[in-house]
Every structure is written in structure tokens, then in C-alpha cells.
């Protein structure tokens, strides 16, 4: 699993200091919008909304999702939360109903202390979609358990760090098959992290999640929310496929 | 319970290498779409959607479902997830509301290592519906527990293999009464597996699930999602029965 | 609690061998349909749907339900699941929205082995409504727990049988006040059993459930779903009362 | 907390023996209807529905509720469940959508054995609203836990009685600030009891619930459903305030 | 984290003694209304509703919320619950659908006994929004666990007080980055407290919640409901941004 991406920070999207932007001190805002076409759905307005957001510096990936949860997933990244809300409003005005969502921020894990800045930058300022033929896509939110037999937040830092290192090694065996983005949502949404996976093949998604579920960090401590699965598809195409 | 089917792989549906298909490295994509007729429901367009999917190499089974969860279940299998999404869109455009669903992939269980390939092929490349008078149908998703007293993902491989062998023997006593398809959904949908049962009689479905619930693999470790029950019915008929 | 009813099997509704019926090997299919009137609700068509089902051999009880969960409950029994689906479709076409439901089969409990056939027949082939002034009605689904401290499916058969005997004796003290129908739904719906109670007075329903909750089988092992409460009312009347 | 009220039984509402009423052997039926105005909402018809119910002997309290759960709560008491259903239907025909509800019966707790009948009558035949300036109102349903560490239904009767006595003493320190009605719903609705509190001030509601949550009966054994909060308001006024 | 605010009590909004107000003995009523525009949404009427409420002494903060849960959050504080209901009705009549909400009261924690009144007043009579550039906003409700291994309500007062002191010290390290309002809802809404955070940057919200989750009071005892995140925005602007 490739956790790092090599694209430079999307500085073009950074607001000037002192501007009205509502942005994290470090990193970028992320929204996943899970949408269904409503009665006033207008495909061309959806395309226009995405193009306008991109022109404002927002990175956008669109996904044709399988199943009842939604038809179209829109993943968007911008430093200023107000730009993300602007995109959401434009999509709603284009007749999309946002039926589920996830709000998070890019972040560097606390267990990465000591890692050279150059390796952390791609986590704080990622580029989506990842380079390569990653068209199978899934998203799910997750938290760490706080139960009697498994309370992640009562473990010592070193133990948590070791468990996350094991988990990371497990994931890296999927390098070239999976590109992973983990964004933080404590205080922002119902789980503590959002996980977005881009895979070369759909069974890459299944294999990495199944394999990593045996890691102690997941087997004992992981709590998972709903899973969304689909095919990364250019916005011009996907609006006519739903 | 018959877990294997003897039909050869549905290679006709396999995209040529290098095509645009979004397909698993091995096996096929599966969707279960649970539908209700909406205000613009058009029975003939539903039939046409299914026929078009079949012409594109998709295997489709349609079921008249009892109760409020849905009226029509559509189970579809194709190597390319995009074909499954195309079928979903056609059904929606025919006025069906997809109110629940399940996304999975055919797979060979990790406990089948060492089994001759010829026995595994029917699991990876199954044919639906099974041959025989299997008209009673149910579907449910399931996961394995990760709790203090019962954490499947912390058991040694050999123990899990033994439990699944016992479970398999239990199921095989229903051979001729039940045909079973277990497809994998870790990373793809909210549970880890989807189970589709075709029975000769409705109480075959009840008996096999009740009997197997006493197996240690289910009694201790099984978590079950919603159950759908219905009657396998040709699409031309079922569209007029809902 | 009267668990047995003395009416003979509803053989008139049995399909001829070799017919197209989708029926249990033994016993009958049961659906509970919990309905609200939709915008196109037509009372007379609801009456006609019930009458047509009865003419086809379906037993039907209609209930005016209190509260938001639904307005009208329809409990129907027929050997052929297709007849039950036909009734459901006719009710929907009469403008009823089926907002909840339960799918089950009549059955003889495994703990009744050795009981004379004549006592089991009324459980497999019950008549509804029960004879007598049983107009207070409730329904709820239930399962047995599979938890660390209380795993019903890990108990030896003899222990389960003893617990169910105690539970049965507890219920029989309500004979003449309550008529009970327990139908099986493992593999068919989200719980393992559906319980339908007909009471002479509404507090008979409350008293029997409260009393039996102290039985070990319920106190330790019972899991209960939603409860529906209402008044058994002839279909010609109830359609105008909602 | 005042658990008893001094109004005599509402005998005027009692059906004559042998009538068609569907009534408890002892006590009265209770429904809480949580409503929102629908597109055909007609305030005057709501007033008329309440007045007609009162003329038929139904006691009715109307509440302007804060928040999204509903706008108008209607609490109604009558011996005959059919009268309560008649009120519900009239409210629905007046354009109210019943979006949540609770069905219960007045009762005398089993722990009150030995208490003089004159003290129990007000519990079986209460008057609502209570006398005094009790305009702050809340409702919540509750059950007793059946878990490994806290199984109320496995405790000896004497221990349960002691815990309920402690709980009662705790509540009585709120006499004059809170009037409480606890009605039973085992077998009738999803929890075992419904609790309706009338307070002089909104923080009386908060203080009594917070204080009593430390009682062992609640701290260890209580399970609580959704809470509704509002202002008791005459029906003629509340219909124009929502 | 700044828990206290220095604005004097909003006495202007206090009803005269003997008036019809339904107000707490001490402190103020609070509602959070989470809204989506409905088909009859009229932005100017929303502005007028907020202005009218402010003219009646209600403090109001409006927030552009990210994601599907709602588009517009309205947080309002007034001593009289009837004024809060008046605002809710005006917003609904302006075409907003209130899809979620939270009802609570300002309060002084029981652990603050002995603290000088001047420090408690700002908790009972807070001013919103806080002074400063706090435009990132989140809300979530929370309760304390009552489980076998972690039952907050069975801890001695001194232990609870110590845990809350540690928790408070942890929060105060965020002073200048976060302004916090904790309001009480036992007996009033589904959780026991509502937490509203105003942050300078969105990652301030994430950092404070993530950091404090390791405090024993949260790690062992905290239960959290849904999280809402958005940007504090003047009502005149936000009505055109959704």
C-alpha cells in the first residue's frame, strides 16, 4: 500500500494569510459527498460545479458507486472549508441529493514523529487521484475501540506506535496495488478517521482490508463504519452513467 | 448444501486484457439490488434492462421478495463492475428505487488451500441460478465477531480452518435441498461476506440456517445482517407481480 | 397461554403435488404486513384484496394498530409463499404502504420431539384468529442471545429443553387470557422467531410478556425486536378507521 | 416528585360491561403521539379532534415540543383502546403526521403490594395534566437491563423492591417541582415503561433525571430511549404555534 | 480551551417574575437546530426569523455546515423555552426542514461547588458567539457510560471530580484556540450533555477532541453522538450559501 504520494503541496489553493479562509493551521480540508440524482438533476450543471471548484483550486475525484447507498461519490480537497461548502452547494443546486458524507482533514499521524518532513508533506498535501491505473475505489470511516477488553486510548504511546507500525508494514505489502489516504476526523465527524483506497483491481481493495483485519490494531481495536465501493470515472462521463 | 456448481467459467463475459474493464484479478463482481417500484415504474423497461445486461454477459436472477424491505431483488454477476453499474442505472431509469444492496466478489476461501483447482473454479466462476428446482431464495450478509470472548481474527489459522470445516460438513448435509453462494465483501460492503441460498422449499432455508447456527463458527463468531426472502421468478413475470 | 388450536389443518389451501407452489415441506408460510395508507389509498380495494386472498385459501387477520409504526396490520397464512406475495401486491395496489413486515413459517419446536402428532398439528396448521373474544393483539420478533455470558446456541439440548419447558409452564398460566402463535424465521427474517399474541384484554398482553420476562429463557437469553399493539378488527371496518 | 394524584377515577369514560370496548381489566390505556404538520395540516381540525375525544371521555394534554423530533405531542388516556385509535385517526385526517409514539397502560407496580387501595387508585386512574403550574414537560421510555453484569430480571424480588424504594425516595425529594406518571408497556411497545414528567421549570426536569440517574436502579439497570421536551400548551394555542 | 466568557448575563431577555415564561430557575434554554432548505425555502424569511428572535432577546449563531447531515445550523439561547420554539416555528415557516436538533440548558457543573460566583455566571449566562476569530465550529452530544467496566454514575463524587479536573486542565491547554460551551440535557434530550466548540482553525477542533479523548474521563467513560462541523457565517450570508 502506498501511503505517500510524491506530488508537491497544492499551494496554489492556499489562501493568502489574513484572508477570510477557514483553513487548518497545517494540511487541507477534505469532504466525501455521497450523492443521488434528485428530480431536478442536471448532469451538465454537475460538471460545471466540479470544473468551477477545480478552477478555484479544489482537487476533485468522482466515482460511480455500486448499490443503494449512492450513485455518485465526490471526494474533494481544499485548504479552505468554505470552498468545499461552495462545491457542495453547487452540486445540490445541480439537483444532486447529498445522502451521506464525511468531513475530515489531512494529517500527519502522531506516530510519525521523527520522520523527515519530506515524507510527511505528501500526507498533508496529497494529490488525488493517485498516479497510475487505480480505478477501483472504496471509502470507509473507522474509530478505535474504547471497550473493557480493548481500549486503544488507554494504551501507552509506545504500544500504540508499535501496533501502527505493524499495521503499516502489513499495508505496504500492497504497494503498487493500493494507494491509501487516511484523513483525521476526531471532533469533525462520527468516526475518528476516514480511509480512502484506490486499487488497481476490485479484489485489491478486498484483499488489503481482509489481510489487515488480522493485524492486532484492527482485529482488537478497529471499529468500521459503512463501506462505499465504485469505479473512478471522469465527471463528464459519470454524470451520464447514473 | 451444494457449494460447488459445475458450469464452466463465464468467460464470454471476460473483457479482453488491456480493455477498460474494472475487474478482479480472479473471480467475478456480484451485486444484489433490492428494489421497489417508484412512481415512474415501467415493467417492460425492467425486462429490457435485464435482457440487455444478459446480452452483455451478465448473469441475472430475479426474485419476488416478501415483506416491506423490497419487492424485487436482482442478483447480478459480471467480471466488470462497470457492467453491473450499467445494469443498476438501467433499472433505476426503468423506475425502480434501489432501497438496499450488497456489493461483493466471488472468491476462494483461504481455507481451501490445497483443494484441486477444478473444485475451486465453480466458486470463482459460478452460474446462477443453480440447476434444479431451487425456487425458494434468501440472502443475508455476515461478519465474524471481534469481541472480548469471541474474536475470530485473533484465532490461529488452523483453528479457524477446523471451525470452517465443521461448518462445511454441517452445511453439506443439506445437499440437494440447498445451493449456497458465499461471496466476499471485506472492504467493499458493510459485512465481510454475502450469503445467497437457493432452496427447494422455504423451510429448507430455515432449517439450514437454524441448524448451522449451532456450529461453533456461527454460534460463537457469526454476526448476521438483514435477511431477504422470496421466490425466484423469471423477470418477465416478476415485473407484473409487484 | 393457549399454544394449541383445535381447528383442523387448512388443507383446502394446499397446492396439489407437482404444482408451481413454493411451499414448506411441512407447515405454512406466514407474513405480517404493517401498513399505512398512502396518497392513493382505496379502502374498498383493500377489502377486495383480503377477500380475494381468503377465496384463494389464505387466512387473514386485520388489526387497527396504535401509534406511529403503522395503522393497519395484516397477518396472513398460506402454504404457498406466492399467494402471500399476491396478497401483498394487491394491498400495495390498493394504496397501502408496507412500512414494516415479518416473514416466517409455522413450525414444531425441536423440543416437542415425542409429543403426539395430534398436539403438533395445530401448531403446523393453525387457524387465525383464535376462537373466543381475543381482540387485543400484539406482535414482536425475538432471537436467542449469542453473547459471552449467555449463548443459547452453546447450551446442551437438554438444558435448552428444560428452559423452554419452564417457559411454557409460565405461559400456560395465561390460558384463556392469551392465545399465542410462535412462528420460525431463522434464515427468513432478521430475528429467529415471530410471536403473535391475541389477548382478551390489553393488560393480558402486558402481563404475560412481563411475567415471562423473568423466566430464565427470556431474562438471560431473550432478545426482542419492535412491538406492535392493536385491536383485531374486521377488514370492512378497519379500512375506514385509519 | 409527586407520583400520586388526587383526582378520582375517570369513571365517566368506562364502557359498560359487555360493550365492545377493548380495555384493560384494571387501569387505562395511554398513547403518546408525536406529530408534525403535513402538507394538508388544518389547525382547526386538530382542535376539533381533541375536543371530540374529550367529549368521548378521553383525557388529552397537548405540548409544543422543541427540536426536530416533532412539533406537537399529544398524550391521551382512555380505558378503551379504540377511543385512542379514533383520536389518532382524527389527528391524522387533520393533516398531522404521527412520526413517533408510545403505547402503554396505567398500572400499579408489583412493588406496591400492601399499599392501601386509596393510594393506588390515582396511579390506575390518573388525571392529566396534574394540578398546579406544571408547564415544562418531557417524556422518555425506559427498560431494565438484562446484561451479564446487570440483569434486573434475575434479581430476587426483595432486592428489586429495595432498589425501587430507594429510587422512589430519591424522586420524592422533587415533590412540588415534578409530577410523574409511569405507565407500563411490556408486550405493547419497545421499552418496558413510559415516563412522563411535568415540571414547574425546565431545569426541574433535568435535575430530577440527573439526580435519579445515580440511584442504583438507574445507574446499573436503567436503559433509556429518546427524550422529548416541550411546553404544555392548550390545543387552541399550540396548533397555531407549530 | 476557554470555558468562561466575560459577557454579563443577558438579563434583557429575562421575563418578569410572574410572566408566562417557561424558563429554568437558573440559567438559560438552548436549542441547536440542524436544517436543510425544503421546497418552499425563502432565504429572506430565514433572515427575518433570526432578526425577530434577536429583537426578542434571543442570542443566535448561524453556521454553514459541511456534509449531508444538514446545510444550516442555528444555535439559539433564551431564558424562555417558548421564545426558542417561536424561532423554530418561524424558521420552519421560512421553508427550512429541521432534520436534527439538540435541546439543553446552560448549567454550572456539580464539580464547580466552591468556585466564586463571578466565574460561574458566564457559564449560566453565556454570550454567543465568543469574542475573537472563532469561525470553525462543531457540535456533538455526549453521555457518560454505565457499563460493567466503566460506570460513571457508580463512581464516588471525589473520583468524578478529580477526573473532570484532569479533563478541564487538558482542555485549558487549548485556550485561545477553542471556546467551549457545555450545556446539560439529562431528561431533555438523548444524551446528557451538548458540547459546542468554536475554533480559530478547523484543526483546533480536531486537536482538542483527539487530545482529550485520551483523558480517563473520555477514554473510559465518554459516549459520543453525531458530530456536526461548519463555518460560523452571518445569517444574511449563509442563507444564500446553501
Amino acid at each position: 500500500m502506498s501511503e505517500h504520494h510524491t506530488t508537491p503541496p497544492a499551494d496554489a489553493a492556499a489562501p493568502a494569510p489574513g484572508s477570510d479562509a477557514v483553513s487548518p493551521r497545517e494540511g487541507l480540508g477534505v469532504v466525501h459527498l455521497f450523492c443521488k440524482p434528485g428530480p431536478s438533476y442536471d448532469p451538465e450543471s454537475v460538471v460545471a460545479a466540479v470544473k468551477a471548484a477545480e478552477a478555484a483550486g479544489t482537487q476533485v475525484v468522482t466515482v460511480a458507486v455500486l448499490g443503494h447507498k449512492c450513485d455518485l461519490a465526490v471526494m474533494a480537497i481544499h485548504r479552505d472549508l468554505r470552498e468545499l461548502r461552495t462545491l457542495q452547494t453547487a452540486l445540490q443546486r445541480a439537483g444532486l441529493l447529498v445522502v451521506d458524507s464525511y468531513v475530515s482533514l489531512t494529517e500527519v499521524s502522531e506516530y510519525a514523529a521523527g520522520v523527515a518532513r519530506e515524507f510527511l508533506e505528501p500526507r498533508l498535501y496529497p494529490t488525488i487521484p493517485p498516479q497510475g491505473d487505480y480505478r477501483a475505489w472504496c471509502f470507509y470511516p473507522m474509530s478505535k475501540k474504547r471497550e473493557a477488553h480493548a481500549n486503544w486510548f488507554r494504551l501507552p504511546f509506545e504500544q500504540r506506535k508499535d501496533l501502527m507500525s505493524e499495521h503499516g508494514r502489513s499495508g505496504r505489502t500492497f504497494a503498487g496495488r493500493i494507494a491509501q489516504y487516511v484523513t483525521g476526523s476526531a471532533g469533525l465527524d462520527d468516526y475518528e478517521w476516514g480511509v480512502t483506497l484506490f486499487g488497481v483491481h476490485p479484489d485489491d481493495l478486498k484483499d488489503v482490508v481482509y489481510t489487515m483485519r488480522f493485524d492486532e490494531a484492527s482485529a482488537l481495536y478497529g471499529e468500521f463504519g459503512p463501506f462505499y465501493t465504485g469505479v473512478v470515472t471522469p465527471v463528464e462521463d459519470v454524470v451520464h452513467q447514473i
Side-chain angles (χ1 to χ4, degrees), chain A:
Chain A
M1 190 164 358
S2 324
E3 294 191 24
H4 297 188
H5 296 280
T6 55
T7 321
D11 282 327
S19 86
D20 278 347
V22 178
S23 303
R25 294 168 189 271
E26 184 177 68
L28 304 173
V30 186
V31 290
H32 293 71
L33 301 173
F34 301 103
C35 307
K36 295 185 181 186
S40 64
Y41 173 60
D42 174 23
E44 296 315 322
S45 297
V46 172
V47 175
V50 169
K51 297 295 180 197
E54 289 174 338
T58 305
Q59 300 186 64
V60 183
V61 166
T62 48
V63 182
V65 175
L66 277 171
H68 78 293
K69 288 178 195 150
C70 78
D71 296 292
L72 169 64
V74 179
M75 179 185 182
I77 300 181
H78 196 286
R79 181 168 283 182
D80 187 354
L81 297 192
R82 300 176 316 152
E83 291 291 345
L84 298 175
R85 177 64 228 189
T86 297
L87 170 58
Q88 178 178 341
T89 298
L91 294 172
Q92 289 171 326
R93 291 185 178 169
L96 286 175
L97 309 175
V98 181
V99 293
D100 197 3
S101 62
Y102 211 73
V103 177
S104 58
L105 300 174
T106 64
E107 69 178 11
V108 169
S109 151
E110 61 176 315
Y111 311 110
V115 173
R117 185 74 191 177
E118 67 189 275
F119 295 109
L120 303 181
E121 283 289 317
R123 298 192 196 179
L124 285 171
Y125 302 100
T127 301
I128 56 168
Q131 285 194 307
D133 191 29
Y134 292 104
R135 287 188 300 145
W137 184 93
C138 76
F139 171 81
Y140 58 95
M142 60 164 297
S143 291
K144 293 297 193 193
K145 287 189 182 176
R146 291 180 294 111
E147 299 181 359
H149 70 289
N151 192 325
W152 178 262
F153 290 90
R154 299 296 289 163
L155 299 181
F157 175 81
E158 287 301 327
Q159 189 176 350
R160 285 183 278 122
K161 185 175 179 179
D162 288 349
L163 290 172
M164 292 311 291
S165 294
E166 178 211 20
H167 202 44
R169 281 191 300 274
S170 169
R172 278 191 292 279
T173 63
F174 288 84
R177 294 172 59 187
I178 291 288
Q180 168 191 280
Y181 301 75
V182 179
T183 52
S185 51
L188 305 177
D189 213 322
D190 299 356
Y191 290 78
E192 292 156 358
W193 290 276
V195 180
T196 309
L197 303 181
F198 293 80
V200 177
H201 292 277
D203 45 354
D204 293 330
L205 303 172
K206 180 165 75 77
D207 291 355
V208 69
V209 170
Y210 183 71
T211 299
M212 295 181 77
R213 192 149 294 178
F214 289 93
D215 298 343
E216 192 174 333
S218 283
L220 264 184
Y221 297 103
E223 285 190 328
F224 301 97
F227 286 75
Y228 284 86
T229 300
V231 176
V232 177
T233 306
V235 66
E236 295 87 347
D237 297 335
V238 74
V239 295
H240 298 295
Q241 292 174 8
I242 63 174

